[in-house]
Amino acid sequence: MKTSIIIWTYNQLGHLLQCVDSIRRYTDFEQVELIIIDGHSVDGTREWLKTQPDLIVICYDQSLSYLKGCNEGIKIASGDNILLLDNDVTVSHGWLDNLIYCLYSNEQIGAVAPVTNNCAYYQTVAVHYQTMDEMQAYARKHNQPNPRVWEERIKLVGYCMLVKKSVIDDIGLLDESFDPGYLADEDYSFRIRQQGYKLLLCRDTFVHHAGDVHYFKSDNTNYHQLLSINLEKFTAKWGFNPAYSTWIRHDIIGLIENPKAQSIKVLEIGCACGATLLKIKDIYPNANLYGIELNDQAALSAKLFADVIAADIEKTALPYEEGYFDYVILADVLEHLENPWRALENIRTYLKPGGQLLASIPNVMHFSVLRNLLQGNWSYEEAGILDKTHLRFFTLNEMKKMFIGAGYTVNNCRPNYIYESIGDQQFTSILAGLAGNDQLKEQFRAYQYVVTAGNPAAALPAPRQEELKVNKICFITCENDDILHQQFLAHIAALEIPDGYEVEVLSIQDSVSMASAYNQAIGKSNAKYKVYLHPDVFIIHKQFIQEMLTVFANPQIGVMGVVGSSQLPANGIWWESSCCYGKVYDSHSGIMGLVAFREVEQSYQDVQCVDGLMMVTQYDLPWREDLFTGWHFYDLAQSMEFIRSGYRIVVPRQQQPWCMHNCGVVNLGNGYEVYRQVFANHYLQELQSKS
């Protein structure tokens, strides 16, 4: 297999020398042909190229544009693959082998690209090297083939794009109407996908990119005008604005809290070309994706991988079952609707009880709007808070009123900010002074709010004790990974079961939260003793059941866990307490090891809370899924509920840890701080007043 590397160059000899040298050093030249197209350089590039016998060189005697040059290179290429490479790229160890490995891993893949230090559209990774030697050392470590980090994309930036020659034969050459080059790679990406091929970003491959705008000649004074013209061309050709319609909303995606292997159902209203949905699929590979998009041309892109309908959300009867979705996304949509209040009511029908609506809404209270208003201006713009397509305008208070009025609980409103000059900061202080409320300053600074609103969960199950089987133990987990679950079952099967007792295992799948899953378990199991376990927790103490029964011989004890705290700190983070007890094998640092707190001297130690990695109960109390709709602080809340009901919570004495927690590096994002605040508001003040 041969790869034709095509480089167009014009008056950047320094970059070209470094680029070609790196290809010679880090590429098997028997597997490539290097084609250099010179667009009439006058800085010595042409003279140098004529001295390089191992290169295929075409020098034009008149100016030749970037796209025309690339197409001329493609026409003479003899390779099985075409690699379009900018002349300010420095390649690295293993770069091409990695890209080819990915390109041919599936016949549906049409083109691939690496990550770099300087690039648009989220293809950049953070680096700290200072020299090219340091860069190569970094790249050698980075460039380890790893299919798990490949990511499907709706477009790739063309600074280093590897395409199968058969795909180019199928779709044709680069569209030269996009000269001098802006948006040509996006156009090519959409053409590749339109023919049924996939685009993959190889996060296991790094090259250095200086980032010079090489296809604009240095004497070009019409840069911004050309950008505008090409944007108009693209929109006319494809029917949508490429910047708006390909935006990946990482701020919205970060609010999804579920375990990565869970089969969540996500609907994005206003999904455009589907970039955000595709990123969700990358993070949650078992996710079921749905979209609604008003622009039928943009919807065609999203339809390639998701169940998408082209429709007006306010005029269409939705074809979904009630209570179907875990998440509904409305990113910059509500302000465009005639009646967003009614739309929210209708959408809630399709959210699961405990499901989440994730929305972003511009803040009309932003200082930029108020400053113009004070000067007598309310001017609509092409984009921004006063976008001319916006029909409704909201402050933070009005946003909350809208969601609450539509039947949601508002869990969080997180502000997004834009750049502020010193004058802007002074102006917001003046506004707060005029309002007589310094706390309003943050609302004047917020450009947009990202809102998490929940569909209230159903009524909590009533406690029941009399019908529970006193000789039955139920092991409960939220299954989301088949391999982990098989290990989980194997460890349960290895436990010693006392005579006269029976064991059952209950796996809850696709729940919207831990509390919701555990309430389902209460409704399904009649076992007196319930062992709630994270799916990555394995019980390794074979006499666990007998030890548990010994602790629960005291009827005042309601909950037992393997680690916990006897005095919660003011921030609610139990492991930051100075009074922690228990032990567990744990891998939160990235390496499995013993995590040991204070030793329990007696048979058990009374505590205020235990960690949810393992919580064992002998009474059924409902879990607070009405408050904790995600994956954090549900365990501490349940500890508090047992204390409120008059029960004791304990950590038993363990000679050796009873269980192993194979959790990997802990992620304290995804709603952690939100639920910490919920916990603090509902429990900590009460707990501290009793202390």
Side-chain angles (χ1 to χ4, degrees), residues 137-183:
Y138 166 82
R140 183 176 290 273
K141 292 181 180 179
H142 181 100
N143 294 358
Q144 303 299 320
N146 183 4
R148 291 179 298 177
V149 299
W150 296 344
E151 178 185 344
E152 186 179 354
R153 287 293 187 91
I154 66 170
K155 67 179 183 181
L156 295 172
V157 180
Y159 72 95
C160 178
M161 182 187 292
L162 180 67
V163 191
K164 291 175 181 173
K165 182 60 164 57
S166 60
V167 172
I168 293 179
D169 293 338
D170 193 7
I171 69 170
L173 299 173
L174 296 164
D175 187 343
E176 294 177 19
S177 70
F178 287 104
D179 263 332
Y182 176 59
L183 294 179

Side-chain angles (χ1 to χ4, degrees), residues 74-136:
I74 293 172
K75 290 176 185 178
I76 67 171
S78 62
D80 305 281
N81 314 307
I82 303 296
L83 196 142
L84 301 174
L85 189 68
D86 284 2
N87 67 350
D88 58 348
V89 170
T90 303
V91 302
S92 54
H93 175 81
W95 72 290
L96 187 56
D97 289 341
N98 284 8
L99 293 176
I100 292 174
Y101 175 39
C102 178
L103 185 65
Y104 285 91
S105 64
N106 188 301
E107 63 181 10
Q108 289 184 306
I109 299 173
V112 299
V115 294
T116 187
N117 60 299
N118 186 357
C119 181
Y121 203 62
Y122 320 104
Q123 289 182 211
T124 301
V125 295
V127 295
H128 303 288
Y129 57 77
Q130 300 295 322
T131 67
M132 286 297 99
D133 287 342
E134 291 177 357
M135 183 279 289
Q136 292 295 351

Side-chain angles (χ1 to χ4, degrees), residues 334 340-342 344-345 361 394-410 413 451 453:
L334 291 169
W341 303 272
R342 182 187 302 163
L344 285 174
E345 290 181 6
I361 309 174
F394 299 93
T395 64
L396 177 60
N397 289 340
E398 294 302 320
M399 293 177 203
K400 291 180 178 179
K401 284 169 58 178
M402 176 172 61
F403 284 103
I404 293 172
Y408 296 84
T409 58
V410 178
C413 293
V451 180

Side-chain angles (χ1 to χ4, degrees), residues 479 481-491:
E479 178 186 350
D481 184 297
D482 185 62
I483 295 177
L484 278 178
H485 190 61
Q486 293 305 315
Q487 297 177 22
F488 175 89
L489 294 175
H491 283 85

Side-chain angles (χ1 to χ4, degrees), residues 125-338:
V125 295
V127 295
H128 303 288
Y129 57 77
Q130 300 295 322
T131 67
M132 286 297 99
D133 287 342
E134 291 177 357
M135 183 279 289
Q136 292 295 351
Y138 166 82
R140 183 176 290 273
K141 292 181 180 179
H142 181 100
N143 294 358
Q144 303 299 320
N146 183 4
R148 291 179 298 177
V149 299
W150 296 344
E151 178 185 344
E152 186 179 354
R153 287 293 187 91
I154 66 170
K155 67 179 183 181
L156 295 172
V157 180
Y159 72 95
C160 178
M161 182 187 292
L162 180 67
V163 191
K164 291 175 181 173
K165 182 60 164 57
S166 60
V167 172
I168 293 179
D169 293 338
D170 193 7
I171 69 170
L173 299 173
L174 296 164
D175 187 343
E176 294 177 19
S177 70
F178 287 104
D179 263 332
Y182 176 59
L183 294 179
D185 47 2
E186 299 204 19
D187 173 75
Y188 217 49
S189 293
F190 278 100
R191 287 165 59 193
I192 292 171
R193 294 184 66 246
Q194 190 180 55
Q195 288 299 109
Y197 300 105
K198 294 182 178 181
L199 307 174
L200 262 66
L201 179 64
C202 301
R203 292 193 173 277
D204 59 356
T205 308
F206 178 88
V207 298
H208 174 82
H209 185 212
D212 288 351
V213 186
H214 70 284
Y215 41 78
F216 289 106
K217 292 186 177 181
S218 59
D219 58 351
N220 194 333
T221 59
N222 300 317
Y223 176 79
H224 293 290
Q225 181 181 355
L226 289 169
L227 296 186
S228 179
I229 291 172
N230 278 15
L231 182 60
E232 291 176 2
K233 290 179 182 177
F234 188 100
T235 303
K237 179 176 182 176
W238 291 98
F240 54 82
N241 183 303
Y244 174 81
S245 298
T246 61
W247 193 9
I248 301 175
R249 291 300 300 268
H250 291 277
D251 55 341
I252 296 287
I253 297 170
L255 298 174
I256 297 176
E257 306 167 352
N258 300 59
K260 297 299 185 288
Q262 192 169 338
S263 179
I264 58 175
K265 299 178 178 67
V266 181
L267 168 66
E268 183 179 11
I269 298 172
C271 66
C273 293
T276 296
L277 286 175
L278 192 56
K279 183 63 180 180
I280 291 172
K281 189 69 172 180
D282 174 58
I283 300 172
Y284 298 89
N286 297 318
N288 298 293
L289 305 177
Y290 300 81
I292 300 174
E293 172 52 42
L294 184 61
N295 185 317
D296 56 352
Q297 295 302 307
L300 290 175
S301 172
K303 283 182 178 180
L304 295 173
F305 59 87
D307 187 343
V308 176
I309 59 175
D312 185 336
I313 184 64
E314 294 190 276
K315 300 177 181 178
T316 304
L318 301 184
Y320 312 118
E321 299 176 11
E322 293 187 5
Y324 185 72
F325 293 106
D326 298 282
Y327 294 93
V328 174
I329 297 172
L330 287 156
D332 297 342
V333 170
L334 291 169
E335 63 271 21
H336 295 271
L337 304 182
E338 292 183 8

